[in-house]
């Protein structure tokens, strides 16, 4: 009777091991996908090549980041540009000659591009912080699963040894 109880427990442990290994594989895959996403976002911009090589479960997130970061950076740069123009820090083109006006426009375009890049960098830093938090959570989840898996595997191994020794002791021996 004890052997049947041990067989039931052994079967349960084997199923639990398979389940934990599957969970661990999924968590590691999510962590790898997140690392791929982090590498794409790391420079502050996402190219179409990054989008095409992105894991499918992060495609929506990457697309959203691409559009939202552009729009937020554009708005921030426009606001900062308006503040600079309103305060007179950009200066005005002196004279009416065409070359002075073109130089002023080129200068304003350069300033706007720098403001836009600063905004994109700030947004990339915020996203990097989010990604670091998610990676920490996934690392903790993997460690938790690995610890539980080790415990279950150890119990499975010890139960197998106990069953083997119980089967050997219960074996009928014929003396000839």
């Amino acid at each position: 009777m004890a052997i049947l109880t041990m067989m039931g427990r052994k079967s349960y442990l084997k199923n639990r091991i398979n389940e934990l290994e599957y969970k661990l594989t999924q968590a590691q895959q999510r962590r790898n996908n997140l690392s791929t996403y982090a590498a794409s976002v790391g420079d502050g911009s996402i190219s179409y090549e990054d989008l095409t090589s992105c894991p499918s479960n992060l495609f929506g997130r990457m697309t959203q980041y691409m559009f939202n970061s552009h729009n937020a950076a554009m708005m921030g740069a426009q606001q900062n540009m308006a503040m600079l123009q309103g305060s007179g820090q950009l200066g005005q083109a002196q004279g009416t000659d065409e070359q002075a006006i073109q130089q002023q426009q080129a200068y304003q375009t350069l300033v706007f591009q720098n403001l836009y890049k600063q905004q994109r960098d700030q947004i990339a830093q915020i996203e990097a912080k989010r990604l670091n938090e998610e990676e920490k959570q996934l690392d903790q989840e993997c460690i938790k699963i690995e610890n539980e898996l080790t415990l279950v595997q150890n119990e499975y191994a010890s139960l197998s040894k106990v069953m083997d020794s119980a089967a050997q002791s219960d074996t009928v021996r014929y003396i000839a």
Side-chain angles (χ1 to χ4, degrees):
M1 188 61 145
I3 296 276
L4 291 176
T5 305
M6 285 189 264
M7 286 177 61
R9 180 71 180 162
K10 188 175 178 182
S11 175
Y12 167 77
L13 291 174
K14 187 63 177 172
N15 287 338
R16 186 72 181 137
I17 288 170
N18 290 337
E19 179 184 316
L20 289 172
E21 286 174 342
Y22 179 72
K23 280 183 179 180
L24 183 60
T25 302
Q26 284 183 322
Q28 289 171 338
Q29 184 63 44
R30 284 194 317 264
R31 187 174 53 191
N32 291 342
N33 289 349
L34 204 58
S35 296
T36 302
Y37 174 70
S40 297
V41 173
D43 63 354
S45 65
I46 296 175
S47 67
Y48 286 107
E49 182 179 320
D50 292 335
L51 276 175
T52 57
S53 65
C54 163
S56 62
N57 63 337
L58 291 174
F59 181 79
R61 181 177 180 176
M62 191 178 282
T63 308
Q64 281 297 107
Y65 173 78
M66 185 174 76
F67 292 124
N68 291 342
S69 65
H70 169 73
N71 291 337
M74 188 64 81
M75 277 183 35
Q78 287 171 346
Q79 289 173 348
N80 290 341
M81 188 73 167
M83 286 179 11
L84 288 174
Q85 286 175 335
S87 67
Q89 292 179 4
L90 286 180
Q92 298 296 323
Q94 297 177 356
T96 56
D97 82 24
E98 194 173 313
Q99 185 178 9
I101 293 172
Q102 287 177 351
Q103 287 177 345
Q104 180 66 24
Q105 288 174 344
Y107 176 70
Q108 287 179 355
T109 301
L110 181 65
V111 168
F112 184 80
Q113 288 173 346
N114 286 335
L115 291 172
Y116 176 81
K117 184 172 179 353
Q118 289 173 358
Q119 292 293 321
R120 286 291 291 254
D121 290 344
Q122 287 176 355
I123 293 166
Q125 288 174 354
I126 292 168
E127 187 69 9
K129 286 179 186 177
R130 285 185 198 143
L131 290 172
N132 285 337
E133 287 299 316
E134 285 184 46
E135 279 192 49
K136 286 178 187 176
Q137 289 174 351
L138 282 172
D139 287 340
Q140 290 173 352
E141 182 181 340
C142 285
I143 289 170
K144 179 183 169 190
I145 293 171
E146 287 170 349
N147 290 340
E148 187 176 352
L149 181 60
T150 302
L151 291 173
V152 173
Q153 286 173 334
N154 289 342
E155 183 180 352
Y156 181 82
S158 66
L159 185 61
S160 293
K161 288 178 185 176
V162 168
M163 284 181 66
D164 289 344
S165 65
Q168 286 177 357
S169 67
D170 288 347
T171 304
V172 178
R173 293 192 174 92
Y174 296 103
I175 299 174

